[in-house]
Amino acid sequence: MRDDWATFGADLHLDLRGTRLRAGLMDALREAVRSGRLAPGTRLPSSRQLAADLGVARNTVADAYAELVAEGWLTARQGSGTRVARRADPRPVAGPAGAEREGAGAERAGADGSAAPPRTPPAGSPPVGPTPGGPTPGGSAWRVSRRRTGPPAYDLRSGTPDLASFPRAAWLKAYRRALTAAPNEAFGYGDPHGREELRTVLAEYLARARGVHARPERIVVCAGFAHGLMLIGRVLRGRGARAVGVESYGLGPHAALLRDAGLTTPPLPFDERGTRVEELPSLAPDAVLLTAAHQFPLGGALPPDRRTAVVDWARATGGYVLEDDYDGEFRYDRQPVGALQGLDPERVVYLGTASKSLAPGLRLAWMVLPESLVDEVVAAKGAVVDWMCGTPDQLAFADFLATGAHDRHVRAMRLRYRHRRDQLVAALAERAPGIRVGGIAAGLHAVLSLPPGTEAAALRSAAWHGLAVQGLGRFRHPQAERSLEGLVVGYGTPPDSAWQGALQALCRVLEGVDEDRDPQDT
Amino acid sequence: MRDDWATFGADLHLDLRGTRLRAGLMDALREAVRSGRLAPGTRLPSSRQLAADLGVARNTVADAYAELVAEGWLTARQGSGTRVARRADPRPVAGPAGAEREGAGAERAGADGSAAPPRTPPAGSPPVGPTPGGPTPGGSAWRVSRRRTGPPAYDLRSGTPDLASFPRAAWLKAYRRALTAAPNEAFGYGDPHGREELRTVLAEYLARARGVHARPERIVVCAGFAHGLMLIGRVLRGRGARAVGVESYGLGPHAALLRDAGLTTPPLPFDERGTRVEELPSLAPDAVLLTAAHQFPLGGALPPDRRTAVVDWARATGGYVLEDDYDGEFRYDRQPVGALQGLDPERVVYLGTASKSLAPGLRLAWMVLPESLVDEVVAAKGAVVDWMCGTPDQLAFADFLATGAHDRHVRAMRLRYRHRRDQLVAALAERAPGIRVGGIAAGLHAVLSLPPGTEAAALRSAAWHGLAVQGLGRFRHPQAERSLEGLVVGYGTPPDSAWQGALQALCRVLEGVDEDRDPQDT
């Protein structure tokens, strides 16, 4: 998740929480002019630039600028951009505005070092920003500045695609077309299988893009992967299953959803080639949850012999493989390996999602089920009506797939993520050559292996550098037999405008680790 | 739910399931011309009229007409409408088209009586259509005809608003504005409380429209009422609750959701004034689920003394009242009575929904919670991320509320539903004066009390008349102490174009009951 705040202009803090984005921006700009922190004549960043920096719609910034021009605080002239008006009164005013300023001033005091920061910076670590370099207080060089306390300036946490790249215009077009063409019944209670329009195009798409044996009647649409996992967990428990084996490194909340359904979630042993599925017969779970195409978080692909072995195990024992194919669209070094489900559609439950290829906020995902499970999953979802999945988004996504807009978006994002991954690998080779980038060239994240005993220090250093990033430790199953150290780098997460800054911050952190220097920490 | 099929033109059956609406319509029209059932020169209904009859978007019909004009099957001339082309070849053709025709021919044989219909019509009951009168095969008088088998022609089942009145244009406008203004983080994993933008405007709306004590931090957005009920059921069970009392007449699936959470759902006794809440101390449930403002399905409002008494019970025992305020926006004879929640926000869980005021297909609902339950409900919903509720629809609904579009829509629908209810009361007073319309003038449904022993016959007669309607029996709790007979008439369900036909069909059914004539049934 991206934190909804930002700082800009050396010392100008904007709390952009909630609905008052434009008003908050206007207040902050008025206050900066009033206090003299923005000198008369100072040129402001373009609305496009500032919107990108703040992660808000460009209109929000443009509207704020226009109103402040109308109020006389700013001037706008063709060719000269938007500037602080020469006549704007820089003197402080009393009352509520003063109280606001007090907050901003306190903030500024922290940022320019006149108040003690809560932590001492590690040696040789200047403050980090999208444009590296020291602060230029009150000047006209604009940059996003970092606060030493509060939310991080850069976000490389895994699990979220670049939200700034959400294809708003294309999605709106699909939504408009879908809503216009929808039959009236589409606005009523739906069939818990999900809309047939969507299941029809999904079947075609999954066969083409992921090698899934999909027929519309085997697909159940769900409100995200977690919803699908809840449903399948409940169905398996209802059939008498007791244990679903999960990967030793994975997402704890997913295992928790299975436990909520009354199942145990023993960890599956692993080695450098991935999950040791050959041990399934002795572990004897009722099902296993696997990220076969791109292990999350370690980043490997399950090798062919183990793909075959896990399906053979399921066939021999009546077990099920729950295949979490969360980012199968993104492979950079070769054609993606098809889904495991293709090996045996009657023993593999395929779970896919639009959360990585498009956006988690849409809550769109799907299961392709063995025939024997369809009715039970549909019954668990709501029997005769769909309690969970809204229709317009399903129809919009069907249109988005059918018209090729999804393919275009995925292609564009594949290039972007691949480029970022290449830059990550290159930057580390130069700046921290001792750090290995693990896993296959795929997806939205990479694992950087760290020497034993350094993960905690690296995370502290990252926090100091204003960088949000996760350690491998948080993904470890409490009963896993082995323990690894490393950083999980979600290079897909930041917007383009913040990517270079985030990468630089990461390099600084890793330089420290690589040189075996412990960052100073109070 | 509306069934996605329709017949038109005396004997032309269109299977409009799935994505091929336009193609299906074109096939059916080509076939009707080919077979001679649509004679050259026949004037077709306007695209607007046919779209309304079929419950599809007008563009779908207009596009089909335009393509058939381009193909030479139809002609279109200003002032003369769309007609079957004079040169269109009426002779059957061989091959796949012949196979298609075979199906349509079989259908026709049944409809015009040349094959035995599965049931014998009751005496004096001609086929029913929006334009009453006998069939005019092949003529130019267009009407939606009823099939004697298959889905019903008219739908007066309760629970769904008039889906043809969904404000597509206004909703699209809100969606577009919301998507354009949304900050990037809106596309990411959300806060399980729901979007703050929506909770802020909902708090204002619920206070104004329903007298709810609502603060944004007490609101949790959910994917429909059922989702909210699942969450609160789970939280109450987690706190040790065992029994949630439910109304003796109500929705079985809702009670089932509570039982899924591990609770029992004993029926609450009732009399002609509603649920006898004074018996709660001896029944001693941990909570009760009530439709206080408009009992579903019986239609009464809980009287003031019982409203007070149920809250007093909750206070005295530490119990909770779960208030299902499903259609509180629609009251026709007076200002709506405020929500029960206003009496004690710490003992009443308020559950509201957009499913009746707008559309069930959006899956938008909300809970206003006692402070003591907020954190547990949020944890049950997903703890740190919102697994279920999509962001764009939440933001669109926030805009829809904030701009007054929701108020405008509710006002328009209130007039429409009120008018229908008035027509229902007037038609019954004339045609079946022995049948009483029960409950308050509110909501989207009315209960028609029937003499003992006649409900089953009335339902058979309704089925014969092509009318889908529900008997009270299906809403009775299996352990309810009393049993009532009647029809639950969802007058809000049909589109305007089908309302008069549905009302006429209902009157015919009730004339039979009123005269104590059992419809003949094989």
Side-chain angles (χ1 to χ4, degrees):
Chain A
M1 270 173 289
R2 209 165 168 286
D3 299 288
D4 44 354
W5 66 278
T7 60
F8 77 109
D11 58 357
L12 192 57
H13 172 64
L14 287 176
D15 187 344
L16 292 176
R17 237 167 246 291
T19 50
R20 298 185 61 256
L21 287 173
R22 191 186 58 178
L25 179 56
M26 289 174 63
D27 284 350
L29 286 166
R30 279 195 207 97
E31 173 52 25
V33 174
R34 220 187 256 123
S35 68
R37 277 181 288 134
L38 281 183
T42 303
R43 182 170 177 158
L44 276 69
S46 73
S47 59
R48 182 184 301 274
Q49 177 62 46
L50 186 55
D53 288 347
L54 299 177
V56 301
R58 190 186 170 190
N59 277 351
T60 303
V61 177
D63 289 353
Y65 279 10
E67 289 202 36
L68 291 172
V69 167
E71 290 177 17
W73 296 90
L74 306 180
T75 59
R77 209 169 306 158
Q78 195 73 36
S80 156
T82 304
R83 292 175 181 274
V84 177
R86 296 277 168 198
R87 297 170 303 171
D89 181 358
R91 284 172 308 173
V93 294
E100 280 167 44
R101 192 176 52 250
E102 191 171 28
E107 189 53 53
R108 183 169 50 135
D112 64 13
S114 62
R119 288 174 185 164
T120 310
S125 293
V128 178
T131 312
T136 317
S140 62
W142 287 83
R143 24 168 232 90
V144 173
S145 75
R146 174 179 68 79
R147 297 163 71 210
R148 284 180 190 155
T149 59
Y154 299 111
D155 192 351
L156 289 176
R157 287 174 293 181
S158 61
T160 302
D162 173 2
L163 302 174
S165 299
F166 181 78
R168 299 187 192 214
W171 180 258
L172 257 178
K173 207 178 270 187
Y175 192 93
R176 183 178 51 70
R177 263 194 308 256
L179 204 77
T180 308
N184 290 333
E185 53 87 16
F187 300 101
Y189 288 100
D191 176 336
H193 289 85
R195 291 295 298 184
E196 192 179 352
E197 294 93 330
L198 176 55
R199 290 183 289 118
T200 303
V201 293
L202 263 180
E204 185 275 327
Y205 170 74
L206 294 174
R208 169 167 63 80
R210 299 296 300 127
V212 173
H213 280 266
R215 295 207 309 272
E217 60 272 25
R218 296 284 193 92
I219 296 179
V220 172
V221 178
C222 37
F225 169 84
H227 182 213
L229 192 62
M230 284 178 212
L231 295 175
I232 194 71
R234 187 167 154 188
V235 165
L236 293 178
R237 185 70 193 94
R239 287 180 158 222
R242 303 199 161 269
V244 175
V246 299
E247 292 163 323
S248 285
Y249 277 81
L251 283 166
H254 291 174
L257 291 173
L258 293 170
R259 287 194 298 276
D260 283 348
L263 298 154
T264 63
T265 54
L268 302 173
F270 71 108
D271 57 25
E272 66 291 339
R273 295 178 65 243
T275 296
R276 294 207 304 271
V277 300
E278 50 273 35
E279 295 184 34
L280 286 174
S282 64
L283 292 164
D286 299 287
V288 289
L289 174 62
L290 292 180
T291 49
H294 187 214
Q295 207 281 330
F296 187 86
L298 298 176
L302 199 65
D305 59 315
R306 288 184 171 174
R307 288 167 61 95
T308 313
V310 70
V311 170
D312 285 346
W313 161 81
R315 279 184 183 144
T317 61
Y320 287 103
V321 181
L322 314 182
E323 180 177 22
D324 175 4
D325 193 43
Y326 63 107
D327 68 357
E329 287 87 354
F330 297 112
R331 179 89 192 229
Y332 312 124
D333 55 342
R334 49 162 290 170
Q335 281 296 305
V337 175
L340 201 58
Q341 190 263 8
L343 296 180
D344 192 341
E346 301 305 329
R347 303 271 28 123
V348 180
V349 173
Y350 176 88
L351 295 121
T353 175
S355 290
K356 313 304 170 197
S357 63
L358 201 46
L362 295 175
R363 305 317 298 141
L364 279 168
W366 43 89
M367 285 180 274
V368 186
L369 292 158
E371 188 173 11
S372 56
L373 292 179
V374 173
D375 290 347
E376 286 163 73
V377 169
V378 167
K381 193 179 169 208
V384 288
V385 300
D386 192 332
W387 296 130
M388 291 298 175
C389 301
T391 312
D393 289 332
Q394 291 185 62
L395 295 177
F397 189 52
D399 182 283
F400 199 74
L401 282 165
T403 57
H406 187 262
D407 285 335
R408 282 190 293 280
H409 178 65
V410 166
R411 268 199 303 274
M413 296 312 292
R414 201 182 281 136
L415 282 176
R416 176 172 306 211
Y417 294 141
R418 176 188 190 148
H419 190 55
R420 289 192 191 173
R421 191 187 158 92
D422 289 348
Q423 291 183 315
L424 171 66
V425 170
L428 291 185
E430 189 190 321
R431 310 253 312 254
I435 306 287
R436 198 174 64 83
V437 180
I440 59 175
L444 317 182
H445 79 279
V447 168
L448 312 185
S449 301
L450 293 179
T454 60
E455 182 180 302
L459 290 173
R460 281 195 303 273
S461 168
W464 169 256
H465 284 89
L467 174 68
V469 67
Q470 299 152 325
L472 265 181
R474 71 148 54 208
F475 300 105
R476 181 176 178 270
H477 192 296
Q479 283 101 49
E481 57 177 19
R482 295 171 56 198
S483 188
L484 303 173
E485 293 194 39
L487 294 183
V488 181
V489 176
Y491 54 79
T493 302
D496 265 0
S497 62
W499 161 243
Q500 285 299 336
L503 181 57
Q504 296 308 317
L506 178 67
C507 285
R508 281 202 188 79
V509 170
L510 292 170
E511 280 172 344
V513 172
D514 205 22
E515 293 161 20
D516 203 17
R517 270 193 305 152
D518 254 317
Q520 296 165 24
D521 198 44
T522 48
Chain B
M1 275 174 285
R2 202 160 176 289
D3 299 288
D4 46 352
W5 66 277
T7 60
F8 76 108
D11 57 0
L12 191 55
H13 173 65
L14 288 177
D15 187 342
L16 292 176
R17 238 166 246 291
T19 51
R20 300 184 60 257
L21 286 174
R22 191 185 60 177
L25 179 57
M26 288 174 64
D27 284 349
L29 286 167
R30 280 195 206 96
E31 173 51 25
V33 174
R34 220 186 257 123
S35 68
R37 278 181 287 134
L38 281 183
T42 303
R43 181 170 178 156
L44 275 69
S46 72
S47 59
R48 183 185 299 274
Q49 174 64 47
L50 186 55
D53 289 347
L54 299 176
V56 301
R58 190 184 171 189
N59 278 351
T60 304
V61 178
D63 289 353
Y65 278 11
E67 288 204 37
L68 291 171
V69 167
E71 290 177 17
W73 296 90
L74 306 178
T75 60
R77 211 169 304 159
Q78 195 73 37
S80 157
T82 305
R83 292 173 181 276
V84 178
R86 297 275 168 199
R87 297 170 305 170
D89 182 358
R91 284 171 309 173
V93 294
E100 280 168 43
R101 192 175 53 253
E102 194 170 27
E107 189 53 56
R108 181 170 50 133
D112 64 13
S114 63
R119 289 173 181 163
T120 310
S125 293
V128 178
T131 312
T136 317
S140 61
W142 288 82
R143 24 172 232 88
V144 173
S145 75
R146 174 179 68 77
R147 295 164 71 211
R148 285 178 189 156
T149 58
Y154 299 111
D155 193 349
L156 289 176
R157 287 175 292 182
S158 62
T160 302
D162 173 0
L163 302 174
S165 299
F166 181 78
R168 299 187 192 215
W171 180 259
L172 257 178
K173 207 177 270 187
Y175 192 92
R176 182 179 51 69
R177 264 194 308 255
L179 205 76
T180 307
N184 291 333
E185 53 86 16
F187 300 101
Y189 289 99
D191 176 336
H193 289 85
R195 291 296 296 184
E196 192 180 350
E197 295 93 331
L198 176 55
R199 291 183 289 118
T200 302
V201 292
L202 262 180
E204 186 275 326
Y205 170 75
L206 294 175
R208 171 167 61 81
R210 300 296 300 128
V212 173
H213 280 266
R215 293 208 310 272
E217 61 272 25
R218 295 284 192 91
I219 296 179
V220 173
V221 177
C222 38
F225 169 84
H227 183 213
L229 192 61
M230 286 178 210
L231 296 174
I232 193 72
R234 188 169 154 188
V235 165
L236 293 178
R237 185 72 192 93
R239 289 181 156 221
R242 302 200 161 267
V244 176
V246 300
E247 292 164 323
S248 286
Y249 278 81
L251 284 166
H254 291 176
L257 291 172
L258 292 170
R259 288 194 298 275
D260 283 348
L263 296 154
T264 63
T265 55
L268 301 172
F270 71 106
D271 57 26
E272 65 290 338
R273 296 177 66 242
T275 296
R276 293 206 306 270
V277 298
E278 50 273 34
E279 295 184 32
L280 286 174
S282 64
L283 292 165
D286 299 287
V288 290
L289 174 61
L290 293 180
T291 48
H294 188 214
Q295 206 282 328
F296 188 87
L298 299 177
L302 198 66
D305 58 315
R306 288 185 171 173
R307 288 166 62 96
T308 314
V310 71
V311 171
D312 285 346
W313 161 81
R315 282 183 180 145
T317 62
Y320 287 103
V321 181
L322 314 182
E323 180 176 21
D324 174 4
D325 194 42
Y326 62 106
D327 67 357
E329 287 87 356
F330 298 112
R331 180 88 192 231
Y332 311 125
D333 55 342
R334 50 163 287 169
Q335 282 295 308
V337 175
L340 201 57
Q341 190 262 7
L343 296 180
D344 192 340
E346 300 306 329
R347 303 270 31 120
V348 180
V349 174
Y350 176 88
L351 295 122
T353 175
S355 290
K356 315 303 171 198
S357 64
L358 201 47
L362 296 175
R363 307 315 299 141
L364 279 169
W366 43 89
M367 285 181 274
V368 186
L369 293 159
E371 188 174 11
S372 56
L373 292 178
V374 173
D375 290 348
E376 287 163 74
V377 168
V378 166
K381 194 180 169 206
V384 288
V385 300
D386 192 333
W387 295 129
M388 291 296 176
C389 299
T391 311
D393 288 331
Q394 291 186 63
L395 295 178
F397 189 51
D399 182 283
F400 199 74
L401 282 166
T403 57
H406 188 262
D407 286 335
R408 283 191 292 278
H409 178 65
V410 166
R411 270 199 302 273
M413 297 312 290
R414 201 182 280 137
L415 282 176
R416 178 174 304 211
Y417 293 141
R418 176 189 189 148
H419 190 55
R420 288 191 191 173
R421 192 187 158 91
D422 290 347
Q423 291 183 317
L424 170 67
V425 170
L428 291 185
E430 189 191 320
R431 309 253 314 254
I435 306 287
R436 198 174 64 84
V437 180
I440 58 174
L444 316 182
H445 79 279
V447 169
L448 312 184
S449 301
L450 293 179
T454 60
E455 182 179 303
L459 290 174
R460 283 196 301 274
S461 169
W464 169 257
H465 284 87
L467 175 66
V469 67
Q470 297 152 326
L472 266 180
R474 72 149 51 207
F475 299 105
R476 181 177 178 271
H477 192 294
Q479 282 101 49
E481 55 177 22
R482 294 170 57 198
S483 187
L484 302 172
E485 293 194 39
L487 295 183
V488 180
V489 176
Y491 54 79
T493 303
D496 266 0
S497 62
W499 162 242
Q500 284 299 335
L503 182 57
Q504 296 307 317
L506 178 67
C507 285
R508 283 203 186 79
V509 171
L510 292 171
E511 279 172 345
V513 172
D514 206 21
E515 294 162 17
D516 203 18
R517 270 193 306 151
D518 254 316
Q520 295 165 25
D521 197 46
T522 48

